[in-house]
Amino acid sequence: MSRTIRHICKTLDQVASNNEAAAVAVMRAAERIGDEVLRQQLFNVIHRMNLDAAQLRSAREDMAGQELKRA
């Protein structure tokens, strides 16, 4: 696997991990909020962050798989 591809894969993993960590922090904050509308909006944000993290991980796997096929 080329150095560039390894760097991109590492970056995708890092961004996905950061999204997941941020989603947990937002969830903890949302649980403390009494405003139900705001809480639901935050839960929607959390859901989107987790979906984004999953897409980043999928892109990373696809990229790594394509690179291995070329090798």
Side-chain angles (χ1 to χ4, degrees):
M1 190 180 308
S2 76
R3 185 180 209 183
T4 302
I5 297 298
R6 278 195 308 268
H7 179 72
I8 291 170
C9 288
K10 182 178 175 182
T11 300
L12 290 171
D13 277 338
Q14 194 171 29
V15 173
S17 292
N18 289 344
N19 270 20
E20 291 165 342
V24 169
V26 173
M27 185 178 298
R28 288 183 182 143
E31 290 172 347
R32 296 181 186 154
I33 293 175
D35 182 337
E36 195 57 39
V37 173
L38 179 57
R39 182 188 307 220
Q40 189 57 50
Q41 289 173 340
L42 290 172
F43 285 145
N44 289 338
V45 168
I46 292 163
H47 180 69
R48 287 193 307 268
M49 290 173 78
N50 283 319
L51 287 176
D52 288 347
Q55 286 180 317
L56 289 167
R57 292 194 192 283
S58 177
R60 184 242 186 262
E61 290 172 13
D62 290 346
M63 185 174 289
Q66 289 298 321
E67 185 64 18
L68 288 176
K69 286 181 184 176
R70 290 183 192 158

